[in-house]
Amino acid sequence: MGQNRRVENGSAADCGGRSVLLQLQQALLPARLPQIDGLPLTARYLPGGAPDGLGGDWYDVIPLDGGTVALVVGDVAGGDTTAAVVMGQLRSAVRAYAVEGHPPGVVVSRANHFHLGLETGRLATLVYAMVHPAERIVTVVRAGHVPPLLATPAAEPSFLESTGGPPLGVRPGEVWRESTIQLPSGSTLVLYTDGLVRDEGSLDRGMRLLLDAVAGATPGEPEQVAETLARLVPEHPPDDAVLLVGHLSTDGLQAVTELRRTLAPTPESATVARWLVTDLLRDAVPDDPRDTASLLTTELVSNAIRHTRDELTLTVRLEGDTLRVGVSDSSHRRPQLVQVGERDTSGRGLHLVEALADRWGVDPDERGLGKTVWFELATAPRRPG
């Protein structure tokens, strides 16, 4: 749970003033990291040489419902007091949106709206990773930020080149694409800011050095990985940097075969659900059943949104050769297959489920709190070659 903070040498007055500034900077960051079952974490803040001794780099760890956790690293442009203040405001806003239960893409979209409302003219980058430690599933959203680094036991370190979007503060109404992946047990995830990889101004060279450094670190030791990476930063760096390291260790965790994801009752959730199913099944099932599952999931979520104002719960389970997807809502109204005409623009969703699913049905909630509409598809794992 260590946090590395380095104070540069200088005169007594300079050191005293810089010490106060560093204390202010550190007060805007988490005092300590929470204990997350199955995900040991460590972080570092590495101060740079900006004139004010302050910067806009930050990190956060946000425990969410059901054992899920959000890992966040961001960077507000500038090395001055304004950047530090905006950073503190943005960190608080992202934490609030995450705790409210919004999907990662929505959290980033709302953070963008909040950031634009500050009217500072500063851009900000952000990477948001929602981690399900028991299932080893990670959903990543990048807003103009450098990609997270992934080290797995059986492969060379690599970057999670998930689909990104523009930085915060570029334009209102932007939608950021989520990318979801299931990781092997024993994987290490590194989130960082670009101050860590600016080697003589070359970002590409710095990122290659980052890969080499992680490859030489001890697997499964977040503290050792963090110490190794911190040494990439020169003694007097022009920019500050942060890094956040997590290790996915499922030892002692109960095995979970079903992913559960809360969705807001908004039209955007149908798209989020489609992304989630598509990404999650990309390397697990052939194209045809995966595409069918994505289509039917979109229809079930869209149908649920039309009949409730409460949150939805999407569940995805792949057991053997059977995929089961369910959408739960608080409405007691059972969906009905209705006759639709050629000019009707709605009402075809359940007809698609009826035609394409191997089985489907409706299960009432045992507590009388709503229902779950589900479908099943027969599938088989994708075979190498």
Side-chain angles (χ1 to χ4, degrees), residues 287-366:
D287 293 346
D288 287 346
R290 185 191 68 216
D291 294 344
T292 299
S294 300
L295 172 63
L296 299 188
T297 300
T298 305
E299 295 298 335
L300 289 192
V301 173
S302 298
N303 190 64
I305 289 169
R306 287 194 289 269
H307 297 104
T308 184
R309 295 183 179 180
D310 298 326
E311 289 182 336
L312 316 173
T313 300
L314 171 69
T315 58
V316 182
R317 174 183 292 173
L318 182 61
E319 290 185 330
D321 293 345
T322 301
L323 171 68
R324 182 184 176 100
V325 177
V327 177
S328 304
D329 62 53
S330 61
S331 173
H332 294 276
R333 180 178 176 181
R334 295 178 65 89
Q336 300 290 330
L337 284 166
V338 297
Q339 186 173 1
V340 293
E342 293 181 358
R343 297 183 179 181
D344 291 335
T345 58
S346 63
R348 291 186 171 84
L350 284 183
H351 287 276
L352 285 172
V353 176
E354 172 76 12
L356 299 177
D358 296 308
R359 297 175 62 226
W360 76 280
V362 183
D363 294 339
D365 184 89
E366 295 179 353

Side-chain angles (χ1 to χ4, degrees), residues 209-229:
L209 291 174
L210 180 62
L211 289 174
D212 293 340
V214 170
T218 303
E221 295 290 343
E223 286 284 350
Q224 202 267 340
V225 171
E227 287 296 331
T228 298
L229 298 186

